Amino acid sequence: QVQLVESGGGLVQPGGSLSLSCAASGSINTMGWYRQPPGKQRELVATITRGGTTTYADSVKGQFTISRDNAKNTMYLQMNSLKPEDTAVYYCWGRFLSEYWGQGTQVTVSS
């Protein structure tokens, strides 16, 4: 059983930046970030394989950057030029034989 723990959420003004982290308690192959805006379904934001191959939702391409440090079993999400529509609970996800989810961290973009 692998545990995923997110950190780094918070309140930021439009146009600002925020960085999220996800620490895994064990080795994980593919990791990713999902988000769930208020009143909407959870959606994929980005994924990254152990080898560093990344995918992004069209809505965040060029705005968010996903990365990971395999030695630390930690994944990151750098979010720039944040907009109110980026407001959501952001969830860390990982897959290694099974799928694992973090508890979520709130990101609020508001003036």
Side-chain angles (χ1 to χ4, degrees):
Q1 188 79 6
V2 176
Q3 292 185 331
L4 303 176
V5 179
E6 303 103 334
S7 60
L11 173 65
V12 63
Q13 292 188 341
S17 297
L18 207 59
S19 181
L20 304 181
S21 298
C22 173
S25 62
S27 182
I28 289 280
N29 285 342
T30 300
M31 300 184 75
W33 291 96
Y34 283 73
R35 66 184 180 185
Q36 187 165 16
K40 297 184 179 181
Q41 291 189 335
R42 193 174 298 191
E43 61 186 20
L44 176 65
V45 175
T47 64
I48 184 167
T49 67
R50 193 165 184 82
T53 300
T54 59
T55 64
Y56 293 93
D58 288 342
S59 59
V60 303
K61 281 181 181 177
Q63 182 189 1
F64 291 3
T65 302
I66 189 171
S67 62
R68 66 189 288 174
D69 184 334
N70 292 330
K72 296 181 179 179
N73 288 330
T74 302
M75 173 183 63
Y76 308 95
L77 185 68
Q78 178 64 40
M79 304 183 292
N80 297 325
S81 303
L82 284 162
K83 300 169 278 191
E85 50 264 44
D86 295 316
T87 294
V89 178
Y90 283 72
Y91 295 92
C92 174
W93 167 85
R95 184 176 63 215
F96 179 63
L97 301 181
S98 299
E99 292 193 339
Y100 303 95
W101 291 90
Q103 80 285 357
T105 185
Q106 177 69 47
V107 172
T108 302
V109 184
S110 175
S111 55

